[in-house]
Structures are given as C-alpha cells and as structure tokens.
Amino acid sequence: MRFTKDHEWVLVEGDTALVGISAYAADALGDVVFVELPEVGKTVNQGDSFAVVESVKAASDVYAPISGEVIAANDELSGSPEIINAAPEGTGWLAKIKLLDAAQVEALMDRDAYEAFLSTL
C-alpha cells in the first residue's frame, strides 16, 4: 500500500489499483454521511479531484493518487458510507483504477514513510 500527502492510498493488483482514503483522513473527517464516487469509464489524472467524501464535519475532495481509467466504483458506499469509517484502508475503498503509469505508484510513500509524515503534522 502506498500513500499521498493528501491522505489517499493505493493498493496495486496487477495493472489495476484500489484507491481510498487513509485511516488518518477518515478519523479526521469523523462520521462519513455521503460519498460522491467517480464515474466508471472516467479518466483521472494524478492530483485531480475525483471523488468527494462528506462527513458531519466537512466535505472533502479526494485527489487521484495516480492517473488512469476508473474501471469500478465501490457502490456499497452509496448506501453505507460509514464503511469508510469502519475500514478506510480495506472495504471502504472508493475506486479501482487501471494504471497508466506504474512509476507514479513507486513515487508515493510506503507505510513507514507515511507514518513518519503523519508525525510531522
């Protein structure tokens, strides 16, 4: 699993990757009440907003940690957005993206680097 400084994560499976928000981000947001998922078939560019997570505290854009085509969205979140709070780095994934550039993943932080980054916040 790799992470961004904006608290998104990527888990590569072959030429695709699951994408979601980190446990840190889910905790900071509080209780998630709504998720706007990206459209399947949409091409996203690294760093672009591609989803929105709304909580009782705020609405936050989720930025694409990698470039590629959205090939699946976690539709379970539409009816049960609280899954993000229960398992943000697991079943609370937002989208599956077909990778355009695997080097983008390698440039992201691994868990140790991300934990070190969090300690500076």
Side-chain angles (χ1 to χ4, degrees):
M1 192 172 276
R2 297 288 185 144
F3 299 87
T4 71
K5 288 185 177 180
D6 291 319
H7 311 292
E8 290 89 19
W9 58 263
V10 176
L11 181 63
V12 175
E13 301 172 338
D15 66 346
T16 64
L18 288 179
V19 174
I21 64 170
S22 70
Y24 176 88
D27 185 56
L29 280 169
D31 293 336
V32 175
V33 295
F34 177 77
V35 180
E36 182 180 317
L37 296 167
E39 289 182 35
V40 173
K42 178 180 180 176
T43 298
V44 296
N45 293 308
Q46 186 178 42
D48 288 353
S49 174
F50 82 109
V52 177
V53 176
E54 292 184 21
S55 72
V56 293
K57 293 181 184 178
S60 296
D61 286 331
V62 180
Y63 301 97
I66 54 171
S67 298
E69 179 187 346
V70 177
I71 58 173
N74 189 352
D75 293 329
E76 243 185 278
L77 299 178
S78 297
S80 301
E82 67 277 2
I83 293 170
I84 290 178
N85 295 112
E89 295 176 11
T91 55
W93 61 275
L94 298 172
K96 184 182 276 192
I97 296 176
K98 183 169 178 58
L99 293 170
L100 284 182
D101 183 0
Q104 288 180 333
V105 176
E106 294 306 314
L108 300 175
M109 293 177 279
D110 63 16
R111 183 165 300 275
D112 289 341
Y114 181 66
E115 295 289 340
F117 167 72
L118 291 180
S119 71
T120 68
L121 301 180

